């Protein structure tokens, strides 16, 4: 997606912690979402950030720095079922722009 | 199950044809969004309707159009189909508008194959 950058692929071990980074265009920013998408399935909502700081929801946390145009998704105590694509999405003006997604593989 | 339904699940058609994809939002949701997901383009926002009116427009081609009906279901019309239109088309719904904190709930998608 335009203006948004994420690593293409990441690999981590079951039980570990992984951080997925996302950079986005700051002008016109109105909020940032993280979605999880398993292959062939619909995206499911994980988190929403509009203010700076860390939002924690169980094993998943999301961080936002508006001045740096930077966000990350932190996944703790990784499980095999966390193997999926993680999509960073920005509300940009009146548009909704998704990043290319990061494919995470969790290995035993 | 998100509560958003889409029909049909699969659609196979030929170039030059026209198809209609249907979406029913979650009960109580006023906004409907349409997205296209292809292998080389990722997830692309097409258009949003809120309570029957167009609210935001993304990367939607002129050959594509959409509408939201009084009962809040929505249809996406794709015409003069090309091979490159083959993709997974998702509908999502939310309570309010895009610029709120409303979560979007995605339907299972319609897989369109253009031969």
């Amino acid at each position: 997606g335009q203006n948004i950058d994420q690593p293409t692929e990441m690999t981590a071990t079951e039980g570990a912690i992984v951080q997925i980074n996302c950079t986005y265009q700051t002008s016109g920013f109105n909020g940032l979402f993280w979605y999880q998408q398993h292959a062939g399935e619909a995206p499911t909502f994980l988190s929403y950030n509009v203010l700076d700081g860390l939002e924690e929801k169980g094993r998943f946390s999301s961080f936002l720095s508006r001045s740096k145009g930077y966000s990350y998704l932190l996944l703790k105590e990784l499980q095999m079922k966390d193997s999926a694509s993680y999509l960073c999405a920005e509300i940009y003006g009146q548009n909704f722009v998704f990043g290319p997604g990061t494919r995470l593989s969790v290995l035993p | 199950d998100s509560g958003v339904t889409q029909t049909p699940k699969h659609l196979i058609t030929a170039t030059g044809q026209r198809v209609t994809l249907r979406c029913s939002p979650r009960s109580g949701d006023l906004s409907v969004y349409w997205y296209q997901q292809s292998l080389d383009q990722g997830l692309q926002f097409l258009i949003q309707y809120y309570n029957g009116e167009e609210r935001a427009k993304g990367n939607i081609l002129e050959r594509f159009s959409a509408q939201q009906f009084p009962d809040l279901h929505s249809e996406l019309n794709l015409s003069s189909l090309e091979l490159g239109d083959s993709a997974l088309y998702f509908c999502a719904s939310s309570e309010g508008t895009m610029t709120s904190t409303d979560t979007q709930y995605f339907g299972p998608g319609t897989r369109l194959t253009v031969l």
Side-chain angles (χ1 to χ4, degrees):
Chain A
Q2 61 186 21
N3 309 319
I4 298 184
D5 193 34
Q6 303 178 237
T8 305
E9 291 190 22
M10 296 184 72
T11 302
T13 305
E14 194 175 14
I17 299 173
V18 71
Q19 177 174 312
I20 303 174
N21 296 324
C22 169
T23 57
Y24 62 89
Q25 181 167 319
T26 56
S27 61
F29 173 79
N30 277 321
L32 191 127
F33 287 86
W34 282 95
Y35 281 86
Q36 179 192 61
Q37 186 178 25
H38 287 96
E41 297 183 10
T44 55
F45 170 81
L46 291 178
S47 68
Y48 172 77
N49 294 73
V50 68
L51 299 176
D52 290 349
L54 189 68
E55 295 276 343
E56 297 187 73
K57 277 188 182 180
R59 294 190 301 114
F60 293 3
S61 303
S62 58
F63 172 83
L64 178 69
S65 170
R66 288 174 297 171
S67 62
K68 295 181 180 177
Y70 168 70
S71 173
Y72 67 72
L73 181 70
L74 193 70
L75 293 78
K76 303 175 187 174
E77 301 169 17
L78 280 172
Q79 301 175 9
M80 300 297 291
K81 67 178 182 179
D82 297 330
S83 292
S85 286
Y86 291 85
L87 310 176
C88 168
E90 178 188 6
I91 301 174
Y92 176 69
Q94 287 292 320
N95 209 332
F96 198 66
V97 181
F98 278 84
T102 298
R103 185 176 300 174
L104 174 66
S105 298
V106 180
L107 305 177
Chain B
D1 184 359
S2 67
V4 179
T5 60
Q6 291 187 247
T7 56
K9 198 169 185 178
H10 300 278
L11 195 50
I12 301 175
T13 188
T15 55
Q17 295 299 304
R18 172 190 169 94
V19 297
T20 297
L21 312 183
R22 183 188 168 101
C23 168
S24 293
R26 292 188 323 152
S27 176
D29 284 358
L30 298 179
S31 276
V32 169
Y33 311 78
W34 286 98
Y35 295 88
Q36 178 193 58
Q37 187 172 41
S38 56
L39 285 175
D40 59 344
Q41 292 266 333
L43 196 60
Q44 300 281 323
F45 167 67
L46 297 179
I47 197 165
Q48 179 208 359
Y49 279 83
Y50 175 75
N51 204 21
E53 295 187 1
E54 183 184 304
R55 179 58 61 98
K57 196 177 255 192
N59 300 319
I60 187 165
L61 300 172
E62 285 191 11
R63 300 184 286 110
F64 296 179
S65 65
Q67 55 184 329
Q68 187 179 26
F69 295 87
D71 66 353
L72 300 177
H73 91 270
S74 178
E75 293 181 355
L76 178 67
N77 301 296
L78 315 176
S79 61
S80 303
L81 284 168
E82 301 175 359
L83 295 177
D85 297 328
S86 295
L88 197 53
Y89 290 85
F90 286 109
C91 166
S93 74
S94 72
E95 289 183 5
T97 64
M98 181 189 296
T99 54
S100 73
T101 59
D102 290 341
T103 300
Q104 290 185 31
Y105 295 90
F106 282 74
T110 293
R111 183 169 295 282
L112 174 66
T113 302
V114 182
L115 301 175

